[in-house]
Amino acid sequence: MTSNYDICVIGLGYIGLPTASIFATKGKKVLGVDVVERVVETINDGRIHIEEPDLDILVRAAVQSGNLQAATKPAEADTFIIAVPTPFHHDQESVRPDLSFVKSAVKSIANVVKPGNLIILESTSPVGTTEKMRDWLLEELPNNVADDFHFAHCPERILPGQMLKELVTNDRIAGGLTPEAAERACRLYETFCTAEIFLTDARTAELAKLTENSYRDVNIAFANEMSMICDQLDIDVWELIKLANRHPRVNILNPGPGVGGHCIAVDPWFIVSACPDRARLIETARRVNDSKPAHVLGQIRERAARFRKPIIACLGLAFKADVDDLRESPAMSIAERLAEEYGDDLIVCEPHIRELPKSLAGKATLGLAEDAIQKADIVVLLVDHRPFKRLSRRILDQRVVIDTRGCWK
Ligand code: SAJ
């Protein structure tokens, strides 16, 4: 017997929603599931609850086609895709991945799965999570055996800000607990993915995703470390990197105020927590990147000490350029600290928001970049948003400028 839905996607966030929608626009019958009722209502209205260029158009098309429906509970489907958060808890002693959302997603489908179903984990996860997913499901279904179902890990790799393009054009990895599961997952993603899909086992797929983000973190840490060395030696790091990158086998990334977002600053910890004695470089890189906001604050304090009551303009709060996402943003943590230390004399500019987030409300002023610069003694560029890059350099004359992104070089 076939199910009403081809695919049931659990979790309608930054990954689940675009994935569910693109399948729907390619003719698959999709049920999107989220525990938050407001999210479900918004999507069923053809609207979105997160910001991503053109996602609103895709979701509207998917809902209007009749192929995408949202609900708070899963229903029978041929394939289940789990795209829920996998955060981690960090204290002085240990780093612990939190798989509770994956576990409750698996438990939530136990009463609707049928033998023959394919169950895919898309969430970025520690090695071994796909096997755990199988075990959690079978615990709920004592009359079934593992062979009744197909389990695979197909990690997402799309870049916030260009998700819809990358969803279609990025190569993918399909890692199965069995070769048949990997093959079935591959055939499913071929529905919309125009790039190559590589088959492997689930554990390799899990580590591949963590490796990609750790690779980037380590490389950004190198750039950040060089920027701190340059500050100490009074050398312009941007000039240095430009020159070093003229070597045919050198390609140093950009230093910044630190590494933010939910992926690159998190995923390396999954490797560190699994192999703490081996993952020494990965852990050090994480710590170097985490130390960068404090370094920038030190630079600002040093310059501010030259003024009696300095007015500081902070340009950018988002975790990276041209997105509106303020979560896990080093720029936010710097601005929050400055608000505590300089209070009313801090002007924050973030073109993607209309009001200050709670942690800054009443403690700083939200302003437009040009006005803020005109009023400021010290200008701190924290995010290289396009409008900031376009600002006339002349208005920066007579100001102390701390450009953490090398945007005005
Ligand atoms: N950053 C720098 N210097 C650089 C590049 C980035 O400081 O040269 C900072 C950014 O400002 C930001 C952070 O690093 O704070 C991360 O930004 P990003 O654009 O490098 O990556 P994310 O977190 O938006 O998305 C990453 C991507 N992974 C890789 O590029 C290996 C994306 O492909 C993944 O799908 C995503 O993580 C994810 O979901 O895992």
Side-chain angles (χ1 to χ4, degrees):
M1 194 186 84
T2 55
S3 312
N4 283 342
Y5 294 101
D6 297 311
I7 304 169
C8 178
V9 177
I10 314 288
L12 294 174
Y14 281 91
I15 301 304
L17 183 57
T19 305
S21 306
I22 200 157
F23 272 124
T25 58
K26 296 288 176 187
K28 299 281 185 197
K29 283 264 174 216
V30 182
L31 179 68
V33 177
D34 204 285
V35 288
V36 182
E37 232 160 79
R38 189 183 49 81
V39 167
V40 167
E41 283 164 16
T42 306
I43 293 166
N44 281 333
D45 272 355
R47 293 176 297 114
I48 55 174
H49 61 292
I50 48 181
E51 283 295 324
E52 174 65 26
D54 298 334
L55 182 62
D56 53 342
I57 299 168
L58 180 73
V59 171
R60 203 177 322 124
V63 172
Q64 280 174 358
S65 73
N67 283 340
L68 176 64
Q69 285 175 325
T72 52
K73 295 265 179 309
E76 286 184 17
D78 299 329
T79 300
F80 292 83
I81 296 178
I82 295 178
V84 294
T86 45
F88 76 104
H89 300 296
H90 199 180
D91 56 37
Q92 301 262 304
E93 258 104 77
S94 64
V95 181
R96 279 172 296 107
D98 175 359
L99 298 180
S100 58
F101 296 103
V102 178
K103 191 170 183 180
S104 57
V106 171
K107 303 262 171 193
S108 78
I109 62 172
N111 60 351
V112 290
V113 289
K114 294 273 173 300
N117 280 165
L118 170 64
I119 298 147
I120 297 174
L121 177 65
E122 272 216 28
S123 314
T124 303
S125 301
V127 174
T129 308
T130 312
E131 289 154 326
K132 285 198 173 112
M133 178 173 89
R134 171 198 60 204
D135 298 344
W136 287 327
L137 188 70
L138 293 179
E139 268 168 32
E140 300 289 311
L141 302 168
N143 297 329
N144 288 89
V145 290
D147 289 352
D148 290 344
F149 304 101
H150 304 276
F151 298 93
H153 179 52
C154 301
E156 59 78 19
R157 323 163 116 167
I158 52 184
L159 191 73
Q162 32 190 12
M163 285 183 154
L164 298 198
K165 176 181 163 283
E166 292 207 352
L167 194 58
V168 175
T169 59
N170 280 3
D171 287 345
R172 285 195 86 112
I173 299 173
L177 285 190
T178 59
E180 192 188 346
E183 182 61 46
R184 276 189 54 177
C186 171
R187 284 206 301 276
L188 184 73
Y189 286 99
E190 277 170 354
T191 311
F192 64 80
C193 176
T194 58
E196 280 190 69
I197 302 177
F198 296 89
L199 306 193
T200 185
D201 59 87
R203 290 170 68 86
T204 308
E206 286 159 348
L207 189 56
K209 167 69 197 196
L210 303 180
T211 303
E212 292 158 16
N213 280 354
S214 300
Y215 171 86
R216 191 136 167 98
D217 198 42
V218 168
N219 281 280
I220 299 168
F222 182 78
N224 276 333
E225 186 162 291
M226 285 315 305
S227 76
M228 293 187 274
I229 291 169
C230 282
D231 288 340
Q232 190 171 329
L233 299 180
D234 200 20
I235 288 170
D236 178 346
V237 69
W238 309 103
E239 170 80 354
L240 174 91
I241 292 176
K242 190 176 84 190
L243 295 174
N245 280 351
R246 300 304 296 187
H247 184 287
R249 284 173 296 284
V250 174
N251 186 14
I252 303 169
L253 294 180
N254 297 315
V259 169
H262 311 281
C263 311
I264 295 192
V266 174
D267 301 352
W269 287 119
F270 292 160
I271 301 183
V272 175
S273 72
C275 304
D277 298 334
R278 299 274 176 225
R280 289 177 300 162
L281 180 61
I282 296 173
E283 178 171 359
T284 302
R286 222 27 336 278
R287 294 195 190 283
V288 168
N289 285 332
D290 275 352
S291 72
K292 195 67 199 289
H295 177 83
V296 174
L297 277 165
Q299 287 179 308
I300 300 168
R301 285 190 198 110
E302 193 196 311
R303 309 293 210 293
R306 299 177 202 163
F307 294 84
R308 203 170 50 84
K309 208 171 175 304
I311 297 187
I312 303 176
C314 258
L315 272 57
L317 290 177
F319 88 90
K320 67 174 185 175
D322 305 321
V323 300
D324 70 340
D325 195 344
L326 309 187
R327 295 168 304 165
E328 314 298 333
S329 165
M332 266 299 288
S333 71
I334 291 169
E336 283 165 0
R337 212 41 206 272
L338 292 176
E340 275 167 30
E341 293 175 29
Y342 302 94
D344 290 346
D345 296 325
L346 178 69
I347 311 170
V348 172
C349 313
E350 173 48 71
H352 296 94
I353 60 172
R354 288 205 198 99
E355 55 187 54
L356 282 174
K358 259 198 203 126
S359 60
L360 287 173
K363 297 182 187 155
T365 315
L366 183 64
L368 294 173
E370 291 194 16
D371 294 348
I373 292 170
Q374 242 138 39
K375 289 182 189 139
D377 301 302
I378 301 174
V379 179
V380 188
L381 187 288
L382 293 172
V383 187
D384 44 343
H385 287 314
R386 251 177 253 126
F388 298 157
K389 284 189 188 162
R390 288 197 292 258
L391 284 170
S392 151
R393 304 297 183 273
R394 252 183 303 129
I395 62 168
L396 296 168
D397 287 349
Q398 317 294 323
R399 309 280 178 281
V400 173
V401 176
I402 301 174
D403 175 2
T404 69
R405 301 274 185 178
C407 171
W408 292 325
K409 287 287 158 197

